Amino acid sequence: MSEPRIWRVAVVGCGVGRDHIVRGYQKHPDKFGVHALCEIDECRLAAVADEFSIPRRTMSFDEVLRMDDIDIVDICTPAALHFGQILGALSAGKEVVCEKPLVGTLAEIDRVIAAERETAGRAMPIFQYRFGNGVQKAKRIIDLGIAGKPYVATVETAWKRAAKYYETPWRGRRETECGGVLLMHAIHNHDLMQWLMGSASSVFARTATRVNPIEVEDCAVASLVMQSGALASLAATLGSQREISRLRLCFEQVTFESSHAPYSPGDDPWEIVPVSPEAEARIAGALAGYRAVSARYEGQFAAYHAALTTGAALPVTLADARSSLELATALYHSATTGLPVTLPIAADHPAYNGWLPPKP
Ligand SMILES: NC(=O)c1ccc[n+]([C@@H]2O[C@H](COP(=O)([O-])OP(=O)(O)OC[C@H]3O[C@@H](n4cnc5c(N)ncnc54)[C@H](O)[C@@H]3O)[C@@H](O)[C@H]2O)c1
């Protein structure tokens, strides 16, 4: 049997990009090798490249695109740069990994989806919290129809960000961060909720900036009707002294509650409470052959390698990112207009080309 291919990666941006190396690629030396690093901050570039003995270092994204031996361009730059960099990497024939939020408008993601259809490579958005054994088991139970009719979800993202976080100049600014707590932080938990409960069909949201003196929101609440008819409530803040992420999903046959760990909401233990001994037996049957996944980046990158190698669907797709950005668009538009917003959001919707409210 031939050895599995080791894919050659260039990481662009050394903030969370360093985490991709430590928690993702380095966990899989038989699957990935990081051969180039791109970063416009020369000190950061040298420090991270030296730390991991990465031979090629550059401050030029275009130079990365010209590296013929690089298979995967992993984009970990500030959000507003993602769109141009994804298009550039796809058109250079590369496979693409890109951090959340994938891009800054629905119009942009539709252009990325169109570009992916025309190029050899594919683009995988990062939603690493899907790779946790608690949420994976819940997903399996729901997909097998054991949970039954969804009733209500409550989702809390209560995190803390203070002045130091906003010393990084692109953060907290509309043009460069593209959104606040809804887009940058709660996006993970909202993705998990929609992954498990299906898409929203109507939303009403309120946002406020109360924690830090920034241009984007740092508090938000929303009331959702899902396509299934289930209801969901979202609450997000960056002003919680004890940080938690919490999803509680009530279905007819099963109630699920995540752990409260803020930065590993998908990981075990999830509380899975069946309505009856019969439901409990069906859950036990469903989980009998369950194979544990590795957590977060390690798990997403393992699944990514399998998809690259076999040509199967990527473990997180552009459709997933679109769904998350469509929810964000609806939430922002509702908060701006003070009105409920119905999904889907089509190209003639006023928020299709941008969700941020007009500048005050
Ligand atoms: N999935 C997660 O849990 C998670 C966590 C943190 C950040 N993120 C996302 O990752 C992205 C980066 O966030 P961060 O916290 O690492 O920010 P950061 O500011 O710490 O790091 C970004 C780096 O990109 C570099 N950079 C900027 N322009 C560049 C360019 N043109 N070419 C190369 N490098 C460039 C900057 O110098 C900086 O070092 C954002 O989209 C953010 O939302 C995701």
Side-chain angles (χ1 to χ4, degrees):
M1 211 169 86
S2 63
E3 292 290 310
R5 174 172 169 189
I6 300 179
W7 295 72
R8 298 171 68 88
V9 182
V11 172
V12 185
C14 291
V16 78
R18 183 184 174 281
D19 285 6
H20 284 208
I21 297 170
V22 178
R23 298 172 205 268
Y25 300 120
Q26 284 207 330
K27 301 284 184 187
H28 302 293
D30 56 332
K31 298 180 174 66
F32 300 102
V34 179
H35 290 270
L37 198 58
C38 174
E39 165 63 63
I40 55 169
D41 176 330
E42 207 169 354
C43 294
R44 215 172 193 186
L45 175 65
V48 177
D50 288 350
E51 185 180 2
F52 301 110
S53 306
I54 298 171
R56 252 173 306 161
R57 356 182 135 185
T58 176
M59 294 168 73
S60 159
F61 183 71
D62 288 343
E63 195 179 327
V64 173
L65 301 187
R66 289 193 295 272
M67 293 176 183
D68 289 339
D69 64 325
I70 292 294
D71 305 307
I72 298 170
V73 176
D74 181 351
I75 298 167
C76 298
T77 52
L81 301 179
H82 294 175
F83 175 59
Q85 292 182 333
I86 295 169
L87 289 186
L90 282 175
S91 65
K94 306 297 187 191
E95 301 290 340
V96 178
V97 172
C98 184
E99 265 295 350
K100 49 61 46 177
L102 196 78
V103 289
T105 66
L106 281 177
E108 287 180 354
I109 190 150
D110 284 343
R111 282 187 57 194
V112 171
I113 289 168
E116 193 195 50
R117 281 196 206 106
E118 289 159 14
T119 52
R122 296 183 288 174
M124 181 181 74
I126 291 289
F127 273 133
Q128 82 273 22
Y129 293 138
R130 289 188 180 193
F131 297 84
N133 289 306
V135 72
Q136 291 275 340
K137 287 178 201 165
K139 176 77 175 152
R140 184 167 180 146
I141 293 164
I142 293 165
D143 285 354
L144 287 170
I146 296 168
K149 182 175 170 183
Y151 291 159
V152 159
T154 46
V155 184
E156 288 167 75
T157 309
W159 293 2
K160 184 173 180 179
R161 296 290 183 273
K164 186 154 183 47
Y165 179 78
Y166 294 102
E167 282 172 8
T168 301
W170 67 272
R171 294 202 178 113
R173 291 176 44 216
R174 304 158 47 95
E175 282 78 12
T176 47
E177 201 174 25
C178 306
V181 66
L182 284 172
L183 187 73
M184 297 301 294
H185 308 89
I187 190 169
H188 289 292
N189 291 332
H190 298 170
D191 170 65
L192 294 182
M193 188 274 292
Q194 289 205 110
W195 193 46
L196 297 175
M197 270 229 170
S199 298
S201 63
S202 169
V203 313
F204 180 81
R206 293 183 192 279
T207 60
T209 305
R210 299 183 61 74
V211 184
N212 286 285
I214 53 176
E215 292 178 5
V216 290
E217 88 290 349
D218 53 24
C219 297
V221 292
S223 161
L224 279 56
V225 183
M226 312 306 286
Q227 283 176 6
S228 61
L231 304 178
S233 95
L234 315 177
T237 181
L238 297 177
S240 174
Q241 296 315 313
R242 186 164 77 86
E243 294 189 296
I244 65 158
S245 293
R246 175 176 173 273
L247 293 98
R248 186 174 174 82
L249 308 163
C250 300
F251 287 71
E252 187 181 13
Q253 301 291 326
V254 190
T255 294
F256 303 92
E257 183 164 339
S258 70
S259 82
H260 297 185
Y263 301 108
S264 49
D267 290 11
D268 263 335
W270 274 43
E271 194 178 58
I272 299 177
V273 185
V275 70
S276 63
E278 292 74 27
E280 187 172 10
R282 293 186 71 201
I283 291 170
L287 299 182
Y290 178 79
R291 288 178 59 190
V293 296
S294 302
R296 288 161 268 131
Y297 291 126
E298 183 177 350
Q300 181 163 354
F301 287 172
Y304 182 46
H305 184 268
L308 286 171
T309 306
T310 61
L314 296 176
V316 182
T317 63
L318 291 179
D320 295 322
R322 193 186 193 289
S323 174
S324 116
L325 295 176
E326 189 172 30
L327 177 61
T329 304
L331 294 170
Y332 282 124
H333 194 61
S334 172
T336 304
T337 58
L339 297 169
V341 172
T342 304
L343 294 88
I345 292 180
D348 59 357
H349 190 279
Y352 180 76
N353 289 296
W355 49 63
L356 286 175
K359 275 189 175 174

